[in-house]
């Protein structure tokens, strides 16, 4: 089956009007044709009688009457005047009521005068011939009326206009070639094609046969009479059997089809316009709802996330704080990236929606309070500020806990050594053994006490170190500070007590010092040399076992240097050891030489050569262990340095790469070398290259995580931090997506407004010329100069008005997108509220309101219900039940009122 969409009435009229001639010329030409045909072919006369009679009755029935004999029933002029009133919609002068001949002539003359008043020049047709029943003149007069009131509506060049309309409507159909109004219609296919073109439900064109002209014609006549209210004006057999059917009869009948279908096409055009406008409005509302939903979800996520990042309650253990850091990394890697994409997509959707609203002449979209793009940007900025502060707090807390753990362990070690040394000292100082001692014993006790005082003074530094460490632990808010304070206080109290007891014992010994006369110098010398050496070995063992924490190779090298210096003192220390042991050997030698029986105990010290030897062995054992520990730390710091250099090598490449891509994208967006599609392809390639580069960012993230796990918090080899790279990467993704969206909007603007590529290139070239800073923006003075160069005659008031359009937020600059939008509005046309109102008025049959039934009959179901739900009740003196106000609805579509 062949079918094609009908063209609009406006298009038909424009096409037909290309053949227009004046009214007077048209009817002079038609009358001259009639004069040449005064001697009608009998077959033609029969066809004209039947056709013209049926045509007249189709109109007279509206007045409740009809004619039987065309030349007889118009003789008195009454039905002729009635016919003219019906088809013109105007009132003719009151007819004469008499039945005399002059009454009839007067009535016919009134009808002929009315015809002439419509620009028709009647040739050879007088009232007397009509009153006398001249069939030729009567048919000629009716043909003139048909030309003026039926066919002239199609085109001022009646025949050509009607023929053109028929040709255009039947062009797609097989076996149909309309070239005239006689033999082209004999097989009936042209009439069937006209019906099928407008009402394909009435005729199955595929089943028609060219060799059955009578069947085809009768099918067309019956369908037209039954469904289109077109009376049967022709006889199928007469048309088929006549070599050349009467042209005027065919034209009269075909003109009825034009009038039957013209109204339907006009209503269809109006309905299509309304559907188009409503579809745009529905799509825009859907985009608004999607924006509101996405914005609400993103703001709700930010609202939930910020309190978590603002929670700065510190954990008491390193393990718990490291778990917090791992949770924060999961947030950065897993939870935040999808939200970054949502934020970018939200900006793209908002820009696309505003472009569509602008192109469809709708008011700009204003999101709900607190959901503007700027509100979301501010909320996102607040989130990133809190996020940065949270990360800094985490790292600071980890450093603090690391320092606390080190200090706490050092405190315990020094306390243990001190408590080990002070154990039993109070009991020793409280003894009164000197009361029953001999002189030698008293002297020994005195010397022994002097050695103890020397030892006590040597331990003063350790007590001060313990107190200093305890104070630092309190200042750093150590979680078990109470235990530390209690232990430190106990040591200090004990130390004060030891000082008191020491002074008290010295006083007692000095009271009896005069009783002692002899001192064993060798024991005394041994004690004096052994005690400091013993203290030195205690200090050396403490230093060799001291814990340390470093963050660089330089720091560990400093410790190694100090350790090497210590090892260099060992030979001299060994000489001192040998000298001290030599004193004891001298005592043994003297005792052996003189047969002195020794008690085996040095009265001046508890230290024995065995004690010194044991501690010396311990010191020599600890030295290689310290070497190993320092070398292991060197290896760890070297590994950390490699991590720093590895991260820096990548960061120093990725950072400049991101900056370069940002600059290249900005150049592409203002390049005029190619079309918008070529720009889009170039930007898509940039986008793909950026996506492909993501693996380098992920590798850098991995190196950054290794650095943090190794507690590396600084890097002197690069100025780029992971935070810098992340921010730059997110800005790059956002910039390429926004730039692609801007080009898409330019394409959308170009296609929707009919802007040519040459115009866009001209706009872009003008913008680039006056973009003096090459930053994609013009200041107001450059923008004014640009407009003047394009032919605008600008006064201050007009320029101020234009600036409110291109810079509504008073930023002081005009972007390329704002410039393109302004030039587009200046060069393109859009739908208006008045056009939509005119379309609704057609559907409403020229009423000031429209009914629910009319909307549902003329529009698709979803768009009909859309109108019904939003139109307000029509209030007016001519309002019918259920009348709806389409005027206020049309205004609201373009922002001129509220729905």
């Amino acid at each position: 089956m062949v079918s094609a969409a009908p063209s609009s009435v406006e298009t038909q009229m424009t096409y037909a009007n290309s053949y227009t001639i004046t009214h007077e010329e048209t009817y002079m030409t038609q009358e001259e044709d009639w004069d040449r045909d005064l001697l009608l072919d009998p077959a033609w006369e029969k066809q004209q009688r039947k056709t013209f009679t049926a045509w007249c009755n189709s109109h007279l029935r509206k007045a409740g009457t009809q004619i039987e004999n065309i030349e007889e029933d118009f003789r008195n002029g009454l039905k002729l005047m009635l016919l003219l009133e019906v088809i013109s919609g105007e009132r003719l002068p009151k007819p004469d009521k008499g039945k005399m001949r002059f009454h009839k002539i007067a009535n016919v003359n009134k009808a002929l005068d009315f015809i002439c008043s419509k620009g028709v020049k009647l040739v050879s047709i007088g009232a007397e011939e009509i009153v006398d029943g001249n069939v030729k003149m009567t048919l000629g007069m009716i043909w003139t009326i048909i030309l003026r009131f039926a066919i002239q509506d199609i085109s001022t060049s009646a025949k050509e206009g009607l023929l053109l309309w028929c040709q255009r409507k039947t062009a797609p159909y097989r076996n149909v070639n309309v070239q005239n109004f006689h033999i082209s219609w004999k097989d009936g296919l042209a009439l069937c094609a006209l019906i099928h073109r407008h009402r394909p439900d009435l005729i199955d064109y595929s089943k028609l046969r060219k060799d059955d002209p009578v069947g085809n014609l009768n099918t067309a006549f019956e369908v037209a009479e039954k469904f289109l209210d077109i009376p049967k004006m022709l006889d199928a057999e007469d048309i088929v059997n006549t070599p050349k059917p009467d042209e005027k009869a065919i034209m009269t009948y075909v003109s009825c089809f034009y009038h039957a279908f013209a109204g339907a096409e006009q209503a269809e055009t109006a309905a299509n316009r309304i559907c188009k406008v409503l579809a745009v409005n529905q799509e825009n509302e859907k985009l608004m709802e999607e924006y509101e939903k996405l914005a609400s979800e993103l703001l709700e996520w930010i609202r939930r996330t910020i309190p978590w990042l603002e929670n700065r309650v510190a954990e008491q253990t390193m393990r718990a704080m490291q778990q917090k850091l791992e949770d924060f990394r999961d947030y950065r890697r897993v939870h935040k990236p999808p939200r970054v994409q949502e934020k970018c997509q939200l900006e793209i959707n908002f820009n696309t929606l505003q472009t569509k609203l602008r192109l469809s002449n709708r008011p700009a979209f204003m999101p709900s309070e607190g959901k503007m793009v700027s509100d979301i940007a501010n909320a996102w900025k607040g989130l990133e500020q809190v996020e940065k502060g949270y990360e800094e707090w985490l790292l600071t807390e980890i450093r603090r806990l690391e320092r606390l753990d080190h200090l706490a362990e050092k405190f315990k070690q020094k306390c243990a050594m001190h408590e080990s040394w002070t154990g039993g000292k109070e009991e020793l100082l409280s003894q009164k053994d000197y009361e029953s001692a001999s002189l030698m014993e008293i002297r020994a006790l005195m010397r022994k006490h002097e050695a103890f005082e020397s030892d006590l003074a040597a331990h003063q530094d350790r007590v001060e170190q313990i107190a200093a460490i305890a104070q630092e632990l309190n200042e750093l808010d150590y979680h078990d500070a109470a235990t530390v304070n209690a232990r430190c206080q106990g040591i200090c109290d004990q130390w004060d007590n030891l000082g008191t007891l020491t002074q008290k014992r010295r006083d007692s010994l000095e009271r009896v010092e005069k009783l002692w006369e002899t001192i064993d110098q060798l024991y005394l010398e041994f004690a004096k040399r052994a005690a400091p050496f013993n203290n030195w070995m205690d200090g050396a063992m403490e230093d060799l076992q001291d814990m340390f924490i470093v963050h660089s190779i330089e720091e560990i090298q400093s410790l190694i240097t100090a350790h090497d210096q210590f090892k260099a003192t060992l030979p001299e220390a060994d000489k001192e050891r040998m000298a001290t042991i030599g004193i004891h050997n001298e005592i043994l030698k003297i005792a052996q030489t003189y047969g002195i029986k020794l008690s085996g105990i040095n009265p001046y010290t508890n230290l024995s050569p065995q004690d010194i030897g044991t501690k010396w062995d311990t010191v020599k054992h600890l030295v290689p262990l310290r070497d190993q520990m320092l070398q292991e730390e060197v290896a760890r710091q070297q590994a950390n340095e490699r991590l720093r250099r590895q991260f820096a090598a990548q960061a120093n490449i990725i950072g400049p790469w991101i900056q370069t891509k940002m600059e290249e994208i900005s150049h592409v967006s203002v390049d005029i070398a190619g079309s918008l599609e070529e720009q889009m392809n170039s930007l898509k390639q940039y986008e793909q290259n950026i996506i492909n580069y993501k693996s380098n960012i992920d590798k850098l993230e991995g190196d950054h995580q290794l650095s943090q796990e190794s507690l590396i918090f600084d890097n002197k080899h690069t100025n780029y931090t992971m935070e810098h790279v992340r921010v730059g990467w997110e800005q790059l993704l956002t910039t390429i997506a926004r730039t692609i969206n801007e080009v898409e909007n330019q394409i959308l603007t170009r296609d929707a407004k009919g802007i040519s590529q040459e115009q866009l290139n001209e706009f872009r070239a003008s913008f680039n010329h006056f973009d003096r800073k090459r930053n994609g923006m013009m200041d107001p003075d450059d923008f004014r100069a640009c407009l003047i160069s394009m032919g605008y005659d600008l006064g201050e008031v007009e320029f101020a008005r234009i600036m409110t359009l291109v810079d509504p937020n008073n930023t002081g600059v005009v972007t390329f997108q704002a410039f393109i939008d302004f030039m587009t509005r200046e060069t393109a046309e859009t739908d208006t509220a008045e056009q939509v109102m005119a379309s609704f008025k057609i559907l409403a049959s020229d009423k000031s309101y429209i009914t629910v039934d009319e909307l549902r009959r003329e529009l698709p179901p979803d768009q009909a219900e859309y109108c019904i739900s939003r139109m307000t009740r029509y209030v007016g003196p001519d309002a019918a039940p259920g009348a709806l106000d389409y005027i206020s609805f049309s205004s609201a579509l373009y922002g001129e009122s509220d729905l």
Side-chain angles (χ1 to χ4, degrees):
M1 180 180 297
V2 178
S3 62
S7 302
S8 65
V9 175
E10 292 89 345
T11 304
Q12 299 166 21
M13 295 301 294
T14 301
Y15 198 105
N17 285 343
S18 61
Y19 296 94
T20 301
I21 59 176
T22 65
H23 289 185
E24 184 171 323
E25 290 173 341
T26 298
Y27 293 107
M28 288 180 65
T29 302
Q30 300 295 338
E31 290 300 330
E32 291 168 359
D33 289 345
W34 185 264
D35 289 340
R36 288 194 297 268
D37 295 336
L38 280 177
L39 297 177
L40 286 176
D41 183 281
W44 287 9
E45 180 178 334
K46 178 181 177 181
Q47 291 176 9
Q48 286 185 14
R49 277 174 175 274
K50 183 171 183 177
T51 302
F52 290 1
T53 300
W55 183 85
C56 292
N57 285 335
S58 69
H59 294 287
L60 287 173
R61 277 198 298 271
K62 301 174 184 177
T65 184
Q66 64 179 12
I67 62 173
E68 297 294 337
N69 190 308
I70 194 167
E71 68 272 21
E72 292 295 330
D73 292 346
F74 285 139
R75 290 180 64 184
N76 60 7
L78 295 178
K79 290 188 177 182
L80 180 60
M81 294 178 69
L82 181 60
L83 174 65
L84 291 173
E85 287 185 347
V86 171
I87 62 179
S88 68
E90 300 179 21
R91 297 291 297 179
L92 270 69
K94 186 176 180 180
D96 293 353
K97 296 297 184 179
K99 297 184 179 179
M100 303 297 291
R101 176 179 174 80
F102 70 88
H103 291 130
K104 298 178 180 180
I105 292 174
N107 289 337
V108 172
N109 275 326
K110 290 177 182 179
L112 296 179
D113 290 343
F114 178 78
I115 295 172
C116 291
S117 70
K118 297 303 179 182
V120 180
K121 183 177 181 181
L122 297 174
V123 179
S124 303
I125 299 179
E128 291 80 0
E129 284 84 355
I130 304 303
V131 172
D132 292 339
N134 187 318
V135 65
K136 305 295 189 298
M137 292 301 175
T138 301
L139 292 174
M141 177 191 66
I142 297 301
W143 172 242
T144 301
I145 292 172
I146 292 172
L147 276 176
R148 174 59 184 83
F149 294 100
I151 303 176
Q152 178 64 30
D153 289 343
I154 304 171
S155 168
T156 54
S157 181
K159 180 177 179 180
E160 289 81 356
L162 184 60
L163 183 62
L164 257 177
W165 181 79
C166 296
Q167 289 172 341
R168 292 180 65 252
K169 293 297 181 179
T170 60
Y173 290 86
R174 57 180 175 82
N175 297 327
V176 177
N177 184 17
V178 177
Q179 298 296 326
N180 49 55
F181 284 108
H182 37 79
I183 60 175
S184 294
W185 304 83
K186 287 187 65 174
D187 58 10
L189 291 177
L191 285 173
C192 291
L194 275 180
I195 296 173
H196 183 268
R197 178 65 180 271
H198 296 89
R199 291 290 302 276
D201 56 310
L202 300 180
I203 291 179
D204 187 353
Y205 190 84
S206 63
K207 294 183 178 180
L208 300 178
R209 294 183 293 106
K210 187 173 180 64
D211 59 357
D212 185 17
V214 174
N216 296 338
L217 287 167
N218 283 328
T219 297
F221 295 158
E222 292 169 2
V223 168
E225 186 171 33
K226 182 176 180 181
F227 297 103
L228 305 178
D229 197 26
I230 299 176
K232 185 177 181 182
M233 301 181 184
L234 300 170
D235 185 79
E237 287 76 8
D238 290 345
I239 293 176
V240 172
N241 295 330
T242 302
K244 181 181 179 183
D246 182 61
E247 186 176 59
K248 299 176 180 60
I250 298 295
M251 285 178 66
T252 301
Y253 187 65
V254 171
S255 69
C256 294
F257 284 91
Y258 171 85
H259 290 290
F261 293 137
E265 290 183 350
Q266 187 179 23
E268 180 181 352
T269 301
N272 287 339
R273 179 185 293 275
I274 293 172
C275 290
K276 177 183 176 182
V277 171
L278 295 180
V280 170
N281 225 55
Q282 289 172 310
E283 180 182 0
N284 291 341
E285 287 182 358
K286 181 179 179 182
L287 290 175
M288 294 176 191
E289 292 171 359
E290 290 177 353
Y291 175 89
E292 290 283 340
K293 179 176 179 296
L294 189 58
S296 298
E297 291 175 353
L298 184 56
L299 288 172
E300 176 62 18
W301 177 80
I302 294 174
R303 185 190 65 79
R304 293 196 312 269
T305 303
I306 286 179
W308 175 68
L309 294 173
E310 290 177 338
N311 180 16
R312 306 294 166 83
V313 178
E315 300 293 340
Q316 295 183 350
T317 65
M318 178 69 79
R319 180 184 296 275
M321 286 305 297
Q322 286 178 337
Q323 182 58 47
K324 276 183 175 288
L325 180 60
E326 188 61 29
D327 294 341
F328 181 71
R329 288 177 183 146
D330 287 340
Y331 156 79
R332 275 271 180 80
R333 292 192 303 261
V334 178
H335 302 291
K336 186 181 177 184
R339 301 299 179 176
V340 172
Q341 182 63 30
E342 288 179 7
K343 174 177 173 291
C344 178
Q345 188 62 45
L346 194 69
E347 294 177 359
I348 292 173
N349 291 350
F350 181 85
N351 293 335
T352 301
L353 175 59
Q354 297 293 42
T355 300
K356 288 186 176 181
L357 289 172
R358 185 169 59 253
L359 294 177
S360 58
N361 204 24
R362 268 55 167 193
F365 170 55
M366 290 296 294
S368 302
E369 184 176 357
K371 297 179 183 177
M372 295 287 292
V373 171
S374 59
D375 296 330
I376 295 171
N378 290 335
W380 190 264
K381 182 178 179 182
L383 172 69
E384 291 187 330
Q385 289 175 347
V386 174
E387 176 182 312
K388 182 179 180 182
Y390 184 75
E391 184 178 28
E392 292 173 352
W393 173 77
L394 280 176
L395 298 178
T396 301
E397 280 299 306
I398 288 174
R399 293 191 191 101
R400 185 182 69 85
L401 289 175
E402 183 185 26
R403 175 68 176 165
L404 283 174
D405 288 346
H406 170 71
L407 289 175
E409 190 63 28
K410 191 171 184 178
F411 176 84
K412 292 176 183 178
Q413 186 185 51
K414 287 187 178 293
C415 286
M417 293 183 69
H418 179 79
E419 289 166 348
S420 174
W421 179 81
T422 59
K425 294 292 190 294
E426 290 172 299
E427 292 79 8
L428 182 63
L429 291 172
S430 299
Q431 291 178 1
K432 296 184 178 182
D433 52 346
Y434 53 85
E435 294 179 349
S436 60
S438 64
L439 178 61
M440 293 299 292
E441 290 172 341
I442 290 298
R443 289 179 175 176
L445 289 175
M446 189 63 185
R447 302 299 181 265
K448 183 177 181 181
H449 186 71
E450 289 175 352
F452 174 77
E453 285 181 326
S454 177
D455 198 9
L456 184 68
H459 282 80
Q460 175 68 32
D461 183 62
R462 182 183 292 143
V463 174
E464 291 175 355
Q465 289 178 6
I466 290 173
I469 293 173
Q471 182 180 356
E472 188 172 359
L473 286 171
N474 278 276
E475 290 173 353
L476 293 176
D477 196 23
Y478 182 55
H479 71 278
D480 199 15
T483 303
V484 170
N485 292 336
R487 192 170 185 182
C488 180
Q489 188 63 44
I491 289 174
C492 291
D493 292 344
Q494 185 190 41
W495 185 257
D496 293 338
N497 190 38
L498 285 174
T500 301
L501 292 174
T502 300
Q503 186 61 40
K504 186 176 180 181
R505 185 172 177 84
R506 166 172 277 280
D507 293 341
S508 299
L509 290 173
E510 286 178 349
R511 285 194 306 266
V512 295
E513 185 178 11
K514 59 184 178 179
L515 303 173
W516 312 105
E517 297 176 353
T518 310
I519 296 177
D520 188 342
Q521 292 298 323
L522 291 175
Y523 271 130
L524 181 60
E525 186 178 356
F526 176 86
K528 287 184 176 181
R529 297 189 72 164
F533 186 72
N534 182 67
N535 286 335
W536 177 86
M537 288 191 295
D538 286 341
M541 288 189 295
E542 182 178 353
D543 291 338
L544 289 172
Q545 298 178 81
D546 188 24
M547 298 178 65
F548 57 85
I549 178 170
V550 295
H551 296 95
S552 67
I553 292 178
E554 291 76 12
E555 292 177 7
I556 190 62
Q557 287 295 345
S558 176
L559 291 178
I560 292 174
T561 300
H563 184 61
D564 291 338
Q565 292 172 354
F566 167 77
K567 289 192 293 183
T569 65
L570 289 178
E572 191 66 27
D574 190 49
K575 292 179 181 180
E576 178 65 18
R577 180 186 67 84
M578 294 300 295
T580 303
I581 296 299
I583 293 172
H584 180 72
N585 292 336
E586 185 67 18
I587 293 171
L588 294 177
K589 181 179 179 182
I590 293 172
Q592 184 179 4
T593 302
Y594 297 100
I596 298 174
K597 186 178 180 181
L598 300 175
S599 63
I601 299 175
N602 190 326
Y604 305 111
T605 179
N606 290 326
L607 291 172
S608 67
Q610 292 75 19
D611 294 333
I612 293 175
T614 300
K615 286 190 176 182
W616 179 254
D617 293 338
T618 301
V619 169
K620 290 196 296 181
H621 175 71
L622 290 175
V623 168
L625 293 179
R626 184 72 167 182
D627 283 331
Q628 180 182 355
M629 186 184 303
L630 291 172
Q631 290 304 318
E632 289 175 352
E633 183 61 27
V634 168
R636 191 175 78 87
Q637 289 302 322
Q638 288 174 343
N640 288 351
E641 185 66 9
R642 286 194 296 274
L643 286 176
R644 289 188 182 95
R645 292 181 181 276
Q646 181 175 328
F647 177 88
Q650 293 187 77
N652 289 336
I653 294 173
I654 292 175
W657 185 89
I658 291 175
Q659 183 61 34
T660 300
K661 291 304 175 185
M662 292 282 284
E663 294 173 356
E664 291 176 355
I665 291 170
S666 67
H667 291 323
V668 170
S669 64
V670 296
D671 188 15
I672 63 172
S675 65
L676 291 177
E677 285 76 11
E678 291 172 343
Q679 280 191 44
M680 178 62 69
N681 292 336
S682 178
L683 289 172
K684 290 290 186 181
Q685 291 176 0
Y686 272 105
E687 184 181 41
Q688 187 59 47
N689 291 338
I690 291 170
I691 292 172
N692 293 338
Y693 202 79
K694 180 64 165 59
S695 60
N696 296 316
I697 304 297
D698 294 338
K699 186 175 185 303
L700 190 64
E701 283 280 9
D703 292 343
H704 177 64
Q705 181 173 348
L706 291 175
S707 297
Q708 287 196 333
E709 290 173 351
S710 298
L711 301 179
I712 300 173
F713 304 109
D714 57 354
N715 194 333
K716 65 182 180 181
H717 304 295
T718 180
N719 293 326
Y720 293 98
T721 66
M722 194 64 230
E723 181 63 23
H724 292 152
V725 174
R726 288 194 196 103
V727 171
W729 179 252
E730 291 174 0
Q731 289 178 347
L732 180 60
L733 292 177
T734 302
T735 298
I736 186 64
R738 185 184 295 116
T739 304
I740 289 174
N741 178 248
E742 289 175 355
V743 176
E744 289 175 341
N745 287 340
Q746 291 177 29
I747 293 174
L748 185 62
T749 300
R750 180 196 67 191
D751 295 342
K753 298 299 185 178
I755 304 300
S756 68
Q757 184 64 47
E758 290 74 19
Q759 287 177 302
L760 285 175
N761 288 342
E762 181 184 353
F763 296 160
R764 201 179 309 164
S766 299
F767 184 93
N768 291 346
H769 178 77
F770 289 94
D771 179 15
R772 306 188 191 279
K773 297 179 180 179
R774 295 297 181 264
N775 60 353
M777 294 179 285
M778 292 190 289
D779 59 34
D781 291 338
D782 291 337
F783 178 55
R784 178 195 289 270
C786 180
L787 293 180
I788 292 174
S789 72
M790 299 180 73
Y792 283 79
D793 185 12
L794 297 175
E796 290 298 326
V797 175
E798 177 61 13
F799 182 72
R801 181 190 70 81
I802 293 176
M803 283 301 297
T804 62
L805 297 177
V806 299
D807 185 22
N809 296 324
N810 293 322
T811 60
V813 295
V814 179
T815 65
F816 181 68
Q817 184 61 41
F819 177 76
I820 287 296
D821 291 342
F822 170 76
M823 296 308 301
T824 299
R825 285 195 295 271
E826 292 294 303
T827 58
E829 297 181 355
T830 59
D831 289 332
T832 63
E834 289 75 17
Q835 291 176 324
V836 177
M837 292 180 195
S839 299
F840 273 117
K841 188 172 184 180
I842 292 174
L843 298 187
S845 301
D846 290 336
K847 299 192 296 293
S848 298
Y849 59 85
I850 193 166
T851 65
V852 172
D853 291 340
E854 288 172 334
L855 286 172
R856 288 175 174 162
R857 182 177 68 245
E858 301 293 348
L859 300 180
D862 59 332
Q863 295 184 336
E865 298 304 322
Y866 177 83
C867 293
I868 294 168
S869 65
R870 284 164 172 76
M871 283 187 180
T872 59
R873 186 170 62 87
Y874 174 76
V875 178
D878 57 340
L884 300 176
D885 186 357
Y886 63 78
I887 295 178
S888 63
F889 174 78
S890 300
S891 298
L893 288 177
Y894 292 84
E896 299 175 12
S897 65
D898 296 329
L899 282 176

